[in-house]
Amino acid sequence: MKDLNLPEPITAYFNADANDGRAVARCFNPDGSVRDEGKTHTGPAAIEAWKAHTADRYRYTATPIKVEKKERTYFVTSHVVGDFPGSPIDLRYAFTLERGKIATLEISA
C-alpha cells in the first residue's frame, strides 16, 4: 500500500479491515456510509455490524493494487482473495473523504 500513496484514512480502512468491525467503523465520520452488495449501512453501529457480518461469512484479504482520484473520490482497485464465491476478484472501492475520515465508501465488482 505504501507505494500507492493512499490517503491516511484509506490506509487506515484497509488496515482495520483485517481486524474487526469496531476498527473499521472508527475510520468513518459519524454519519459515514458503506454501500456493499446492494445495501447501504450508515453510522458507526451499522458499519460495525456490516463488517462483523461479512467477517462471519467470509475469510479474505484485500490488497490495494491501484488508485485513481477523480474530483473528490478516490477509486482504489483491490485484489481480494478468500473463501467466497468468485475468489479471487479485483474489487473497486470508491472513497469520499471529509474532515480526515471516510464519508462514503461504495464497493463494487
Side-chain angles (χ1 to χ4, degrees):
M1 279 192 294
K2 292 182 183 208
D3 54 341
L4 292 180
N5 199 29
L6 295 172
E8 193 279 328
I10 297 173
T11 298
Y13 169 84
F14 282 106
N15 288 334
D17 189 48
N19 294 308
D20 64 33
R22 183 168 292 142
V24 169
R26 283 195 300 265
C27 297
F28 288 79
N29 287 327
D31 59 348
S33 67
V34 174
R35 181 152 180 84
D36 184 34
E37 296 181 334
K39 296 181 181 145
T40 301
H41 313 275
T42 303
I47 292 170
E48 183 176 343
W50 160 76
K51 171 57 183 164
H53 179 71
T54 301
D56 286 345
R57 289 175 35 210
Y58 308 117
R59 304 289 174 255
Y60 66 91
T61 58
T63 305
I65 56 174
K66 179 179 165 185
V67 63
E68 299 173 78
K69 183 178 182 201
K70 293 181 183 170
E71 297 178 15
R72 294 182 50 228
T73 304
Y74 291 86
F75 296 95
V76 179
T77 302
S78 188
H79 189 66
V80 183
V81 178
D83 61 358
F84 56 89
S87 176
I89 189 170
D90 289 344
L91 295 178
R92 184 173 166 125
Y93 294 68
F95 293 92
T96 57
L97 307 178
E98 290 177 1
R99 301 180 307 277
K101 297 270 188 169
I102 299 168
T104 64
L105 167 58
E106 184 168 346
I107 303 171
S108 60

